[in-house]
Each structure stands twice: as structure tokens, then as C-alpha cells.
Amino acid sequence: MELNRKHSKRWFVRPDGAKKVTGQLKYLTDLTFPNMLYGRILRSGIPHAKIMSINTEKALRLCGVRAVLTYKDIPGLNGFGLIFPDQPVFCKDIVRFEGDAIAAVAADTDEIAAAAIKLIDVEYQPLTVMDSPEVALSNESISLHPSGNVLHRAEYKTIEDDEINQVFFSCHNVIEETYHTPRQMHAYMETEGGVVVPEKDGSITVYAATQHGFKDRMQLSRILNMDEKNIRVVSSPIGGSFGGKDELNVQPYASLLALTTNRPVKIHQKRNDSVIAGLKRHPMKITMKTGVDEKGKILAHVVRIVADTGAYATLGPAVLDFAVEHATGPYIIPNVNVEGVSVYTNNGISGEFRGFGGNQITFALESQLDRLAESLNISQYDIRLLNLRKTNDLGPLGQRIVPTNGAFDVLEQINHSSILNKPFSQTENRKLKGSGLAITMHGGGLGYGRPDPSGGRLALTKEGKIEIAFGFEEVGQGLIGSIEIMMIEELGCSKDDISIVIGDTGLVPPSGSSTASRSTNMAWQGIRTMKNPWLRELLSNASIVTEEKVENLKMGPGGIWSIDDDVTVPIITYKKLAQSLINLPTITSQYDFPTTPDPIVGGHYLYSFGAIAVEVEVDKLTGKVKVTDVEHTIAAGPVVNPMGFLGQIEGGGIMALGFTIMEDSLMDSGKYVTRNFDSYLIPTIKDIPSHTKVNAIETLVEGDHFGPRGVGEIGTVAVAPAIIAAIHDATGYWVNKLPISPEEILNALTKQNKGLFNQQSKELI
């Protein structure tokens, strides 16, 4: 099914759409409160040093300054991190990256706070900067953490190192390449920020953007030495996140300042602060050696991954595990030997990012297959089909997964894309055109061994609204619209009957993080779990109030209806029913994301699949690449929200286009070179392909009752290798390093005598 307004059912206007496009919606960073102060954070500005002294006296004496805090002012744990709390709230004696926080100021105005920050004297003794994993792993390196500079190692092997070499000797062709991926920035327009309000009873309310309000509450509890029940986190709506706001950012500082001054404190980071302190996508160096027989059947696959996690852990171990798991992608390979290492450096922190390590490894894997296909003179399609996983095959780590035909379905459909089957018309001598495809397999949820619970609440309110409450966040992905559609279809009510409550720890049950493409499936599972018992209670109450037999009643728009087809109004409205009851029907539910029964840590159970075909133009004079046509095919189960689905795939595709063609947060000696959007370039309207088509395959294997998979990530994962294949089709040149360098392309064309300048020169000669 092609997703567009013409062909898709349920093409509804999203409930939060009008306020967003008219600018009426207040995001958390827009909030202000009476008597509010403004906070600023002093960042180290240097990547590695001992702190010899911190003097805040001058800052404290500045008129309008209400508090200046350092590590001495933390009542609890001086550390945060979703899994490993190894990032100090305030540095005490050592700085590990230029975004490290040293102190924070609260003042009457933002300008005074900024001036006070400049008055804090910090004396440093610089240390050797470890600006790459190779340097950090050398014998001469200094340990950044007590455990050393290796954060995490991961592996998956079906054959040992010495044995797989024997398999390579038997291969017909062997390709070995090393691939490099960039430090991509999330680049949300709404930088990190929020307001913390101290309440009269000693509690605090934290209004700040996050993807997991309950995890924020837990971490703040440790830092503030405050009971979790005294911390309320309001965390929706959010302008944008893409994984970048899953960790704490301004919350500890605004909370400490608010408690110290007993006044609301707002911190909203400038772009420069967001760049140096915020998370980025893990840069990876991936070496792959892959051997095939004469027909293209893969016999052996060796992978070595080195990930730069920066100064602190965040979710680095899980990202590396995900990359190791997906190193074989949707293919069945008999002899696999994958190792990965995540390394601490003095670079900016790497963390969660849309695709979660899948983008990097898929770029390498799919590029590897294309090189093998070329070496055998077979097609991109043929080599993939030959090695593709079958319906009941085990997962990439040998774990049992839900049977699926997704890989075959997306490959077959994308192979019929008009992009791959049309003849190119070289209308401009200056442009070379080419096309390519890639596919991928992407696990949803957190994986085996990682707690992945969720929960919801369904209730009839006193106002007569059918209230559904989840702990998820609306980060711009359209979750509210998806919940509304599911509620209408499952319960038969109208959208005016529904009240959706999300993103407030004071009002909702814990539902887990809005991450890992899990929210849609979790909401779907929750609604279906709660629906029947809640409906029985609702109709039972309606039967008592109306004196109609319960078997003659059903839910409908506006209220409870008779099952007779000829009625035109409900027997009783939801509002009247609510007013007639003392105990309103309410049900809560707790459940978990489905996991494999096999005890393989991080192994996933539900997978989505994606395929993409692209057309590119390569400028022979400049080496610049432009993507002109894109077609996605996604297999992720039933489509809940067609417009939201389309938005996720199109938007994710453009984000991946930036990853491939232009984005890299450049660092030099542990310091960011690109510190603003005037030097960090992301795709604009001029870079977006003139035509994009998105197809959805909704079919699941018989017996698969797990419903819709989330699509927040699958649209980003396979874009890069498809573009690289298209560039090769146009130029004959293989790219191994992202983002693509026009200079590299131009040099390659010159060497091949294809560059326009070279041709002209020859003509002149």
C-alpha cells in the first residue's frame, strides 16, 4: 500500500496539529512562572584537565545573582546517566570533555546569569587529550575512569578466529573494507531547557523535555537526596529529540538552583551549549571481511567495530550491542565472528540516536554486499535474495524471534521500484545519474535482559471523558494522533469523547521510555489489554443506570447505545453516566515489551524491515551528490496512523540523507569545530528529493499476534548504503567514509577521466 492521502484510510488531522502550526502550543521551554530566576551553566571549555581551584566569590557579589553552585552543593549523588551514573553533575577535580559542568548560576535575568558565569575563576592543569579511540587504547594513555578506557566489549561468534580463516581460504571471492561513520548531531530546533518550580510542601515540579519522565525522577532523586514521590516531572510536549533528550540535561542544575533559592528557575541552553554538552551519534570504524562462494552465497563474515563513546557511558554499551546484533542484518551466514569495543575518549559524548547503532553497521554490511555482487558480476537483488533469511530462521544472535517474511517482502517490492527500472536520460552533460538499493532489519524494544515494562490506565472521568493515560512522551512523532486512532477503532467512541493524558509523572502510570520504536506497540498492547474488562464494567454500570439489559448495550459516539441499528442517539451520554455513578470505571494494566525466550542479553524478538531505492545525480564539476528520487518499502505490521507513519519514514529518510551526505560534528583535539548551524549543515528544503514514495507492507505471518511495530527508526537505517550504491552506479566509485566528500568524488572522477574539468582540459589540450 502506498501511503498518501489518496490511498490510505484513517488520514486524520493530528489532534495537536493546529496549535503547532499556528504557534499557539506552549512547549516546556516556553513556560514562565512568577518570580522566576534564570539559570546558566559554566562548562569547562577544555577537553581534559585537573581542576586546581574553583572560586565563585566574584560571581556571588554581582548584583542580581541569587545562587552560585558547585559540587559542594549537591546533597546526594554527584552523578547521572540512565544506566551508568558516571557523568558528574559538577566536576570536582577532573574535566573529561569540554561540555563538563563546573558550576551553575541563578540570577534575576539571563543577562546577569551570563555575566556571573564569566566571573567564576577556575584554575586548570591541562592533561593529554585523548581525541580518538586509538589514542585512548594506546599504552601511553591515561585512564579516564577507574575501569580504564574501555567502556564495553561485545561479541557474537559462531566460529573462532583461527577457524574462520580456513573458511576464507575456501571462498571464491573475499572482500575486506573499513568503513567510517560521522558524529551526527540530533539538530533539534528546540535546544535543551525547562523550568523547575519549588512547591509550598517542599516538593518540586520539573518542566523539562525528556523521553522518560520516570527515569528522570529516579536520577534526580539520587542527586537531590529527595524522595521520588516529591518530584513531579512534566515532560511533554517536546519540540524534538530523536534520542538526544533521553538522558538528563538541564534538570539537575535547575532543580538544585530552585531548591537553593526557593524560586522557579529556568534554564534554556543556547545552541553553543547544546552542541558541546549534548549527545551525538556514535562515530564508528567498522572493518568487515566477507567471503562468498562462486554463486554469491556468503560463507564467512568477520566484523570489528570500534565506537567512540566520548567522555561518559550514557547508552554506549547498548548501542554497541545493537550494532553487533545487526552485523549480519537480514541474512543467514553460517560462519560469523563479530567483535566490538566502545572506548572512552575526551571527545563529545555519544549516546542514543535514531537507529541506535543500526545505521552505522547497516552502511557497512550493505556496502559489503554490493562490492561482493560487483566482484561476481551479479545484481544487488540477486546476492541479497540468495542470502536472505527465511520465515522461521533464528534471529541474528541465534535467538528465537517471531516468524516473519518481512525481509523477503520488502526486497521483492523494492526490486520493482520504478527508480531501479527506468532508463536514465542524461539531459545535462554535467550530471551523472545512478540508482541503488539497500535493505535492513531492525529490532524493536530494549531486548532480552533489559527491563522493558509498560503500563496504562483507562477510565471514565467525572466530566464524561474516556481517559487514556500513558507515561510516554509526545516528542513530535505523532503519538497522540496514533493513540486517538486506536481508541476510536477499539472502543467505537468519537474523538470528542477521548481525553489523552501523557508525559506527567503526577498523572500517568510508568510506561517506559519513548524510545526503541516501542511506544506505538506498547500503547496498542495497553489499549487492547484494558479494553474488554473496562468495557464490561462500563456497560454493567450503564445497564444499572438505564435499566437496559447489558447484552443490548454497546459503546458509541457520545455515549452508550442500544445494539439496535435503527437508533439515532445514545441511550445515555458518557457525561450523564459519569454523573450517575459514585465509582467510575477505571482499570490499570502492567505489561512488558515482547522478548525472546532465549537468554541472550540484548537479543530482540520483534523486528521491522525496510528497503529503499534511490536515484542520485553526481555533479562532474563539483563532485556534489544530490538525491533526486527515493522509494521506501517498510514491513512493520498493521499501519495504525498512515499520516504519522509517512511522516516518520520521510523525516527519518531525510535525517539519514544528512548522515550520508553532509553532517559531521567535527572535532579537533577534543574540541568541537562545528558549534552552530552556520557551520553544521543539515538538509534543507533544497536538499530534499523532488519525489519520495513510501509503501507499507502490513501482512504478518499467521499466528503473529504482536500487532504494529514502531517505525520511528526503520526509515533511517538503510538510506546511506542505498545512496552509496547509487553513486557507484553513476561513477563506478565506492565510498567508504561518511559523510560523502565531494572532493573525494571529484578526485575519483578525475582519475577515471570522467570529471567535467578533466574532460574540458583534455579538449583544450
Side-chain angles (χ1 to χ4, degrees):
M1 172 180 67
E2 181 179 356
L3 288 174
N4 56 34
R5 187 186 299 270
K6 180 179 178 183
H7 296 106
S8 303
K9 299 176 182 176
R10 293 169 283 162
W11 194 271
F12 298 144
V13 174
R14 53 190 288 176
D16 53 345
K19 286 187 176 180
K20 285 185 173 177
V21 299
T22 58
Q24 296 178 54
L25 183 70
K26 280 190 178 297
Y27 291 93
L28 300 169
T29 47
D30 296 327
L31 299 179
T32 60
F33 292 83
N35 207 29
M36 189 178 78
L37 300 174
Y38 294 83
R40 285 274 187 138
I41 304 165
L42 173 64
R43 305 284 177 182
S44 70
I46 56 176
H48 197 197
K50 285 185 179 178
I51 298 175
M52 309 307 291
S53 65
I54 303 172
N55 190 329
T56 61
E57 292 181 5
K58 292 179 185 176
L60 278 166
R61 288 200 297 268
L62 185 66
C63 183
V65 170
R66 304 300 173 182
V68 182
L69 306 181
T70 67
Y71 69 91
K72 298 176 182 176
D73 303 296
I74 299 172
L77 176 68
N78 185 13
F80 64 91
L82 268 173
I83 308 299
F84 305 96
D86 66 350
Q87 182 168 358
V89 178
F90 292 121
C91 292
K92 178 182 178 183
D93 48 19
I94 191 166
V95 161
R96 296 185 180 86
F97 87 118
E98 69 166 329
D100 260 331
I102 308 297
V105 170
D108 291 345
T109 68
D110 188 44
E111 291 75 15
I112 295 173
I117 286 290
K118 295 178 182 177
L119 296 176
I120 299 172
D121 292 325
V122 186
E123 184 183 358
Y124 298 104
Q125 179 182 318
L127 297 171
T128 301
V129 176
M130 290 171 281
D131 59 357
S132 73
E134 288 76 14
V135 173
L137 292 174
S138 68
N139 293 331
E140 295 76 27
S141 66
I142 302 171
S143 292
L144 285 170
H145 294 273
S147 60
N149 292 337
V150 172
L151 166 63
H152 183 60
R153 292 186 186 276
E155 66 175 31
Y156 174 67
K157 296 180 179 179
T158 62
I159 185 171
E160 293 303 319
D161 300 6
D162 53 345
E163 296 171 330
I164 201 168
N165 288 329
Q166 296 302 315
V167 182
F168 278 118
F169 284 129
S170 69
C171 291
H172 185 270
N173 280 13
V174 176
I175 296 288
E176 183 172 2
E177 295 284 353
T178 298
Y179 304 89
H180 299 266
T181 64
R183 190 184 312 274
Q184 190 181 21
M185 183 159 57
H186 300 80
Y188 24 70
M189 294 180 69
E190 176 199 59
T191 56
E192 302 86 348
V195 189
V196 175
V197 180
E199 308 292 353
K200 292 180 180 177
D201 60 359
S203 65
I204 57 171
T205 303
V206 180
Y207 300 90
T210 178
Q211 293 176 224
H212 200 163
F214 286 92
K215 281 285 187 182
D216 281 13
R217 193 177 70 166
M218 178 272 291
Q219 294 185 81
L220 289 172
S221 170
R222 294 191 304 209
I223 294 166
L224 304 174
N225 197 23
M226 177 183 284
D227 196 304
E228 283 190 48
K229 68 182 181 184
N230 292 325
I231 303 170
R232 176 188 173 195
V233 177
V234 180
S235 43
S236 283
I238 301 170
S241 182
F242 316 110
K245 291 171 182 165
D246 209 11
E247 296 276 6
L248 289 178
N249 44 78
V250 304
Q251 297 94 328
Y253 311 102
S255 299
L256 289 163
L257 291 169
L259 287 168
T260 300
T261 61
N262 198 30
R263 292 170 64 176
V265 175
K266 180 175 186 174
I267 299 178
H268 194 179
Q269 294 196 145
K270 305 300 182 188
R271 181 64 62 186
N272 180 68
D273 294 324
S274 177
V275 169
I276 66 171
L279 304 179
K280 308 292 182 296
R281 187 187 296 281
H282 281 79
M284 290 187 185
K285 175 184 175 183
I286 302 169
T287 300
M288 279 189 179
K289 183 177 180 181
T290 312
V292 295
D293 66 15
E294 65 278 8
K295 294 182 179 179
K297 188 71 176 176
I298 302 174
L299 302 178
H301 189 51
V302 170
V303 183
R304 299 291 180 261
I305 306 167
V306 179
D308 183 350
T309 202
Y312 301 107
T314 70
L315 294 178
V319 170
L320 182 66
D321 287 347
F322 197 94
V324 167
E325 177 184 357
H326 290 75
T328 55
Y331 307 111
I332 297 300
I333 303 175
N335 300 294
V336 178
N337 186 306
V338 186
E339 292 180 355
V341 59
S342 187
V343 184
Y344 287 119
T345 67
N346 293 122
N347 289 326
I349 304 174
S350 305
E352 183 181 341
F353 201 126
R354 197 176 201 172
F356 211 74
N359 304 45
Q360 297 96 316
I361 199 70
T362 300
F363 159 56
L365 174 63
E366 290 292 283
S367 296
Q368 195 79 345
L369 258 73
D370 289 339
R371 284 161 174 75
L372 287 164
E374 182 187 43
S375 74
L376 295 167
N377 196 29
I378 61 176
S379 72
Q380 283 188 286
Y381 169 81
D382 286 338
I383 194 168
R384 285 169 172 77
L385 182 64
L386 185 63
N387 292 286
L388 212 60
R389 71 180 319 282
K390 305 296 188 299
T391 306
N392 294 299
D393 282 337
L394 295 175
L397 299 177
Q399 82 278 27
R400 280 172 285 177
I401 68 173
V402 176
T404 172
N405 292 326
F408 179 79
D409 290 343
V410 298
L411 179 64
E412 280 299 299
Q413 177 142 349
I414 207 66
N415 192 45
H416 293 97
S417 167
S418 60
I419 294 174
L420 303 173
N421 295 288
K422 66 182 176 183
F424 293 126
S425 59
Q426 302 289 352
T427 56
E428 296 181 64
N429 290 332
R430 186 171 156 175
K431 304 289 176 59
L432 295 169
K433 284 191 173 184
S435 64
L437 70 83
I439 65 173
T440 192
M441 174 181 183
H442 194 81
L446 305 186
Y448 184 91
R450 298 184 173 120
D452 202 0
S454 193
R457 185 181 69 246
L458 184 60
L460 180 66
T461 70
K462 292 180 181 177
E463 294 74 29
K465 292 289 186 181
I466 301 167
E467 182 182 277
I468 186 78
F470 290 113
F472 304 118
E473 321 296 345
E474 174 57 61
V475 298
Q477 79 277 43
L479 179 64
I480 294 176
S482 296
I483 293 174
E484 182 182 273
I485 290 171
M486 287 187 280
M487 287 285 286
I488 291 171
E489 294 192 351
E490 288 292 332
L491 298 178
C493 56
S494 76
K495 65 178 183 179
D496 294 332
D497 300 322
I498 300 168
S499 171
I500 299 172
V501 182
I502 62 170
D504 185 337
T505 60
L507 302 176
V508 301
S511 302
S513 180
S514 296
T515 188
S517 301
R518 68 189 294 280
S519 298
T520 297
N521 183 274
M522 290 285 86
W524 176 84
Q525 194 178 143
I527 292 169
R528 291 173 69 93
T529 300
M530 294 183 287
K531 168 188 164 183
N532 287 335
W534 181 80
L535 187 56
R536 283 195 292 271
E537 186 177 350
L538 180 79
L539 295 182
S540 175
N541 279 293
S543 173
I544 295 170
V545 173
T546 62
E547 298 182 348
E548 287 284 344
K549 293 182 178 179
V550 69
E551 56 267 30
N552 291 335
L553 300 176
K554 66 178 182 180
M555 286 185 66
I560 306 298
W561 291 63
S562 167
I563 60 172
D564 293 338
D565 294 332
D566 55 351
V567 296
T568 57
V569 294
I571 296 173
I572 187 170
T573 66
Y574 295 123
K575 187 173 183 178
K576 286 186 177 179
L577 178 60
Q579 292 171 343
S580 305
L581 300 177
I582 297 175
N583 297 315
L584 296 167
T586 302
I587 188 170
T588 59
S589 182
Q590 292 292 314
Y591 44 93
D592 296 298
F593 196 93
T595 55
T596 175
D598 296 320
I600 298 174
V601 174
H604 290 81
Y605 193 49
L606 300 184
Y607 289 86
S608 56
F609 296 82
I612 180 169
V614 302
E615 175 191 280
V616 303
E617 287 180 351
V618 180
D619 191 313
K620 292 191 287 185
L621 182 60
T622 66
K624 187 176 180 182
V625 175
K626 182 173 178 56
V627 178
T628 52
D629 199 351
V630 176
E631 181 169 342
H632 295 266
T633 293
I634 307 295
V639 176
V640 171
N641 179 353
M643 188 167 65
F645 192 114
L646 182 64
Q648 287 293 307
I649 303 305
E650 287 185 337
I654 299 305
M655 179 172 267
L657 188 151
F659 170 74
T660 309
I661 291 182
M662 63 184 73
E663 294 189 44
D664 192 4
S665 299
L666 296 173
M667 304 205 74
D668 182 17
S669 302
K671 298 193 70 170
Y672 280 103
V673 176
T674 47
R675 305 177 84 91
N676 203 343
F677 282 169
D678 56 359
S679 53
Y680 184 87
L681 303 181
I682 61 175
T684 69
I685 190 73
K686 291 194 69 175
D687 302 298
I688 293 174
S690 55
H691 178 249
T692 300
K693 180 179 178 182
V694 177
N695 307 303
I697 296 173
E698 300 186 273
T699 308
L700 296 174
V701 170
E702 186 176 353
D704 182 341
H705 304 298
F706 295 99
R709 282 60 158 162
V711 294
E713 297 170 282
I714 188 68
T716 72
V717 182
V719 174
I723 293 175
I724 299 306
I727 292 171
H728 179 265
D729 186 45
T731 67
Y733 180 69
W734 286 118
V735 174
N736 283 10
K737 183 179 181 182
L738 303 180
I740 296 164
S741 161
E743 291 80 7
E744 181 183 334
I745 298 286
L746 196 56
N747 288 336
L749 293 176
T750 301
K751 288 180 181 177
Q752 297 169 6
N753 210 22
K754 291 180 179 178
L756 187 61
F757 179 77
N758 194 59
Q759 287 180 350
Q760 289 172 336
S761 297
K762 286 185 68 176
E763 289 170 2
L764 287 174
I765 293 172

